[in-house]
Amino acid sequence: MSVLLKETTASGICTLTLNRPDSRNALSDELIAELQHALNECDADNAVQVIIIAAAGSVFCAGHDLREVKQKTALEELRDLFMRCSTMMQAIVNLPKPVIAQVNGMATAAGCQLVASCDLAIASPAARFATPGVHIGLFCSTPMVALARKVGRAHAMQMLLLGEPVAAEQAMHYGLINEVIATEQLRERCLQMGEKLAQKSPLTLAIGKEAFYRQCEMPLADAYDYCNEVMAQNMMRNDAQEGINAFIEKRPPVWSSS
């Protein structure tokens, strides 16, 4: 059984489905590698415009596979594992295409990190989010990086220090996810959102996504200077000219990604 299922629709939405339901979709070495490879493929494939990360079974992702982790007794082995996982998480952020998390079930530790690394997240009422490493003497330090950049510090610290599960509605209040939708409508809603994104200029989305994450790390004045330049450069691109003309002429735009 493949640990990652990949399916692309005609509208350019690629769904990557974590497929280790018997292991609660834990991020094994193999699954991390397959996710990294699939993200690289999505980046290179012009037919793919939006990525959805979903999961088989009743758990979204239980984090690292602790049975595998326990077998790594050398410090360098552990450093390598966490570095490869962190690289994969950063690939989601650095991908110039929107990534949506489709969450139905528990997302804990690195699974919660995976959700926090995505640009958008839609969850069912069955979803729960936790960074419970503190319960087993292993603080969720790498999940903390994504979590603290997605939610406020007070809520991030509460999740990290207490390790208690947060319900879907509360996670939306925290800013970890965007919407809570009925389980039977979850897939349809994610595809609907993906289709809306796929209608936008891929170039414009790429420009905006990169600028968003870069300016978040800057002081206010530097962020404005940077985004002034981004917007000016964006305005010079053909897609911006086409979009403005289409708006004025009351017609759908035709994107050239140039």
mmCIF file of all heavy atoms in Angstrom, residues 27-51:
data_model
loop_
_atom_site.group_PDB
_atom_site.id
_atom_site.type_symbol
_atom_site.label_atom_id
_atom_site.label_comp_id
_atom_site.label_asym_id
_atom_site.label_seq_id
_atom_site.Cartn_x
_atom_site.Cartn_y
_atom_site.Cartn_z
ATOM 1 N N LEU A 27 3.980 10.431 10.476
ATOM 2 C CA LEU A 27 4.977 10.835 9.485
ATOM 3 C C LEU A 27 6.225 9.958 9.607
ATOM 4 O O LEU A 27 7.205 10.318 10.254
ATOM 5 C CB LEU A 27 5.330 12.312 9.656
ATOM 6 C CG LEU A 27 4.210 13.300 9.339
ATOM 7 C CD1 LEU A 27 4.618 14.716 9.710
ATOM 8 C CD2 LEU A 27 3.815 13.230 7.867
ATOM 9 N N SER A 28 6.169 8.834 8.952
ATOM 10 C CA SER A 28 7.330 7.949 8.895
ATOM 11 C C SER A 28 8.386 8.547 7.975
ATOM 12 O O SER A 28 8.133 9.509 7.240
ATOM 13 C CB SER A 28 6.910 6.575 8.353
ATOM 14 O OG SER A 28 6.408 6.714 7.026
ATOM 15 N N ASP A 29 9.589 7.960 7.990
ATOM 16 C CA ASP A 29 10.642 8.397 7.066
ATOM 17 C C ASP A 29 10.142 8.339 5.627
ATOM 18 O O ASP A 29 10.375 9.261 4.832
ATOM 19 C CB ASP A 29 11.882 7.510 7.212
ATOM 20 C CG ASP A 29 12.654 7.774 8.494
ATOM 21 O OD1 ASP A 29 12.457 8.846 9.093
ATOM 22 O OD2 ASP A 29 13.458 6.915 8.892
ATOM 23 N N GLU A 30 9.435 7.258 5.309
ATOM 24 C CA GLU A 30 8.950 7.054 3.944
ATOM 25 C C GLU A 30 7.905 8.107 3.569
ATOM 26 O O GLU A 30 7.936 8.656 2.457
ATOM 27 C CB GLU A 30 8.349 5.654 3.805
ATOM 28 C CG GLU A 30 7.904 5.312 2.394
ATOM 29 C CD GLU A 30 7.286 3.924 2.293
ATOM 30 O OE1 GLU A 30 7.035 3.292 3.333
ATOM 31 O OE2 GLU A 30 7.045 3.475 1.150
ATOM 32 N N LEU A 31 6.990 8.393 4.479
ATOM 33 C CA LEU A 31 5.939 9.354 4.168
ATOM 34 C C LEU A 31 6.502 10.766 4.027
ATOM 35 O O LEU A 31 6.098 11.523 3.141
ATOM 36 C CB LEU A 31 4.851 9.323 5.251
ATOM 37 C CG LEU A 31 3.626 10.214 5.031
ATOM 38 C CD1 LEU A 31 3.032 10.040 3.650
ATOM 39 C CD2 LEU A 31 2.576 9.944 6.107
ATOM 40 N N ILE A 32 7.442 11.134 4.868
ATOM 41 C CA ILE A 32 8.100 12.449 4.737
ATOM 42 C C ILE A 32 8.768 12.566 3.370
ATOM 43 O O ILE A 32 8.634 13.582 2.677
ATOM 44 C CB ILE A 32 9.128 12.664 5.866
ATOM 45 C CG1 ILE A 32 8.424 12.830 7.218
ATOM 46 C CG2 ILE A 32 10.005 13.889 5.574
ATOM 47 C CD1 ILE A 32 9.365 12.800 8.410
ATOM 48 N N ALA A 33 9.475 11.510 2.974
ATOM 49 C CA ALA A 33 10.170 11.528 1.680
ATOM 50 C C ALA A 33 9.182 11.616 0.524
ATOM 51 O O ALA A 33 9.408 12.365 -0.446
ATOM 52 C CB ALA A 33 11.038 10.278 1.543
ATOM 53 N N GLU A 34 8.085 10.872 0.614
ATOM 54 C CA GLU A 34 7.099 10.900 -0.467
ATOM 55 C C GLU A 34 6.395 12.257 -0.557
ATOM 56 O O GLU A 34 6.108 12.743 -1.647
ATOM 57 C CB GLU A 34 6.087 9.768 -0.294
ATOM 58 C CG GLU A 34 6.636 8.397 -0.645
ATOM 59 C CD GLU A 34 5.558 7.416 -1.076
ATOM 60 O OE1 GLU A 34 4.481 7.861 -1.519
ATOM 61 O OE2 GLU A 34 5.803 6.204 -0.964
ATOM 62 N N LEU A 35 6.104 12.845 0.592
ATOM 63 C CA LEU A 35 5.494 14.180 0.583
ATOM 64 C C LEU A 35 6.438 15.209 -0.042
ATOM 65 O O LEU A 35 6.017 16.033 -0.863
ATOM 66 C CB LEU A 35 5.145 14.601 2.014
ATOM 67 C CG LEU A 35 3.719 14.366 2.488
ATOM 68 C CD1 LEU A 35 3.605 14.649 3.982
ATOM 69 C CD2 LEU A 35 2.723 15.217 1.706
ATOM 70 N N GLN A 36 7.710 15.151 0.338
ATOM 71 C CA GLN A 36 8.692 16.076 -0.233
ATOM 72 C C GLN A 36 8.777 15.904 -1.745
ATOM 73 O O GLN A 36 8.769 16.900 -2.496
ATOM 74 C CB GLN A 36 10.066 15.826 0.394
ATOM 75 C CG GLN A 36 11.171 16.733 -0.125
ATOM 76 C CD GLN A 36 11.022 18.168 0.328
ATOM 77 O OE1 GLN A 36 11.103 18.469 1.507
ATOM 78 N NE2 GLN A 36 10.794 19.078 -0.626
ATOM 79 N N HIS A 37 8.827 14.658 -2.201
ATOM 80 C CA HIS A 37 8.907 14.376 -3.637
ATOM 81 C C HIS A 37 7.660 14.875 -4.363
ATOM 82 O O HIS A 37 7.747 15.501 -5.436
ATOM 83 C CB HIS A 37 9.087 12.880 -3.867
ATOM 84 C CG HIS A 37 9.169 12.493 -5.309
ATOM 85 N ND1 HIS A 37 10.238 12.823 -6.101
ATOM 86 C CD2 HIS A 37 8.297 11.816 -6.119
ATOM 87 C CE1 HIS A 37 10.040 12.371 -7.329
ATOM 88 N NE2 HIS A 37 8.861 11.763 -7.362
ATOM 89 N N ALA A 38 6.491 14.633 -3.771
ATOM 90 C CA ALA A 38 5.240 15.054 -4.403
ATOM 91 C C ALA A 38 5.132 16.575 -4.471
ATOM 92 O O ALA A 38 4.661 17.129 -5.473
ATOM 93 C CB ALA A 38 4.054 14.474 -3.643
ATOM 94 N N LEU A 39 5.568 17.256 -3.434
ATOM 95 C CA LEU A 39 5.555 18.720 -3.444
ATOM 96 C C LEU A 39 6.492 19.269 -4.521
ATOM 97 O O LEU A 39 6.158 20.241 -5.216
ATOM 98 C CB LEU A 39 5.951 19.265 -2.079
ATOM 99 C CG LEU A 39 4.938 19.027 -0.945
ATOM 100 C CD1 LEU A 39 5.581 19.309 0.411
ATOM 101 C CD2 LEU A 39 3.690 19.884 -1.137
ATOM 102 N N ASN A 40 7.650 18.639 -4.670
ATOM 103 C CA ASN A 40 8.580 19.038 -5.728
ATOM 104 C C ASN A 40 7.949 18.841 -7.105
ATOM 105 O O ASN A 40 8.099 19.690 -8.000
ATOM 106 C CB ASN A 40 9.879 18.239 -5.630
ATOM 107 C CG ASN A 40 10.697 18.595 -4.399
ATOM 108 O OD1 ASN A 40 10.488 19.632 -3.776
ATOM 109 N ND2 ASN A 40 11.632 17.730 -4.037
ATOM 110 N N GLU A 41 7.244 17.727 -7.275
ATOM 111 C CA GLU A 41 6.575 17.451 -8.547
ATOM 112 C C GLU A 41 5.477 18.481 -8.825
ATOM 113 O O GLU A 41 5.331 18.952 -9.959
ATOM 114 C CB GLU A 41 5.979 16.043 -8.543
ATOM 115 C CG GLU A 41 6.990 14.922 -8.686
ATOM 116 C CD GLU A 41 6.328 13.576 -8.882
ATOM 117 O OE1 GLU A 41 5.189 13.384 -8.371
ATOM 118 O OE2 GLU A 41 6.931 12.709 -9.541
ATOM 119 N N CYS A 42 4.710 18.815 -7.798
ATOM 120 C CA CYS A 42 3.649 19.812 -7.955
ATOM 121 C C CYS A 42 4.225 21.170 -8.337
ATOM 122 O O CYS A 42 3.646 21.904 -9.143
ATOM 123 C CB CYS A 42 2.843 19.932 -6.664
ATOM 124 S SG CYS A 42 1.767 18.514 -6.324
ATOM 125 N N ASP A 43 5.366 21.496 -7.766
ATOM 126 C CA ASP A 43 6.031 22.753 -8.076
ATOM 127 C C ASP A 43 6.423 22.810 -9.545
ATOM 128 O O ASP A 43 6.263 23.842 -10.210
ATOM 129 C CB ASP A 43 7.263 22.900 -7.182
ATOM 130 C CG ASP A 43 7.890 24.286 -7.251
ATOM 131 O OD1 ASP A 43 7.308 25.180 -7.906
ATOM 132 O OD2 ASP A 43 8.955 24.493 -6.643
ATOM 133 N N ALA A 44 6.902 21.689 -10.065
ATOM 134 C CA ALA A 44 7.407 21.648 -11.440
ATOM 135 C C ALA A 44 6.304 21.461 -12.477
ATOM 136 O O ALA A 44 6.536 21.701 -13.668
ATOM 137 C CB ALA A 44 8.433 20.520 -11.576
ATOM 138 N N ASP A 45 5.124 21.033 -12.062
ATOM 139 C CA ASP A 45 4.039 20.711 -12.988
ATOM 140 C C ASP A 45 3.138 21.927 -13.181
ATOM 141 O O ASP A 45 2.385 22.311 -12.290
ATOM 142 C CB ASP A 45 3.228 19.532 -12.430
ATOM 143 C CG ASP A 45 2.199 19.011 -13.424
ATOM 144 O OD1 ASP A 45 1.965 19.672 -14.459
ATOM 145 O OD2 ASP A 45 1.614 17.939 -13.161
ATOM 146 N N ASN A 46 3.182 22.525 -14.360
ATOM 147 C CA ASN A 46 2.378 23.721 -14.638
ATOM 148 C C ASN A 46 0.885 23.432 -14.650
ATOM 149 O O ASN A 46 0.065 24.351 -14.519
ATOM 150 C CB ASN A 46 2.795 24.345 -15.975
ATOM 151 C CG ASN A 46 4.177 24.960 -15.921
ATOM 152 O OD1 ASN A 46 4.637 25.381 -14.862
ATOM 153 N ND2 ASN A 46 4.857 25.004 -17.055
ATOM 154 N N ALA A 47 0.518 22.160 -14.801
ATOM 155 C CA ALA A 47 -0.898 21.798 -14.800
ATOM 156 C C ALA A 47 -1.487 21.837 -13.395
ATOM 157 O O ALA A 47 -2.700 21.930 -13.227
ATOM 158 C CB ALA A 47 -1.089 20.409 -15.410
ATOM 159 N N VAL A 48 -0.636 21.755 -12.388
ATOM 160 C CA VAL A 48 -1.091 21.805 -10.996
ATOM 161 C C VAL A 48 -1.086 23.247 -10.531
ATOM 162 O O VAL A 48 -0.062 23.923 -10.568
ATOM 163 C CB VAL A 48 -0.184 20.951 -10.076
ATOM 164 C CG1 VAL A 48 -0.572 21.152 -8.608
ATOM 165 C CG2 VAL A 48 -0.279 19.480 -10.455
ATOM 166 N N GLN A 49 -2.240 23.709 -10.076
ATOM 167 C CA GLN A 49 -2.350 25.094 -9.621
ATOM 168 C C GLN A 49 -2.626 25.218 -8.120
ATOM 169 O O GLN A 49 -2.316 26.236 -7.510
ATOM 170 C CB GLN A 49 -3.451 25.814 -10.404
ATOM 171 C CG GLN A 49 -3.110 26.007 -11.876
ATOM 172 C CD GLN A 49 -4.221 26.708 -12.631
ATOM 173 O OE1 GLN A 49 -5.066 26.077 -13.248
ATOM 174 N NE2 GLN A 49 -4.216 28.019 -12.576
ATOM 175 N N VAL A 50 -3.230 24.181 -7.540
ATOM 176 C CA VAL A 50 -3.576 24.182 -6.123
ATOM 177 C C VAL A 50 -3.315 22.795 -5.570
ATOM 178 O O VAL A 50 -3.528 21.788 -6.259
ATOM 179 C CB VAL A 50 -5.061 24.549 -5.902
ATOM 180 C CG1 VAL A 50 -5.414 24.553 -4.414
ATOM 181 C CG2 VAL A 50 -5.389 25.897 -6.528
ATOM 182 N N ILE A 51 -2.845 22.713 -4.326
ATOM 183 C CA ILE A 51 -2.586 21.421 -3.680
ATOM 184 C C ILE A 51 -3.479 21.308 -2.445
ATOM 185 O O ILE A 51 -3.605 22.259 -1.670
ATOM 186 C CB ILE A 51 -1.102 21.279 -3.265
ATOM 187 C CG1 ILE A 51 -0.189 21.301 -4.502
ATOM 188 C CG2 ILE A 51 -0.871 19.991 -2.475
ATOM 189 C CD1 ILE A 51 0.271 22.666 -4.917
#
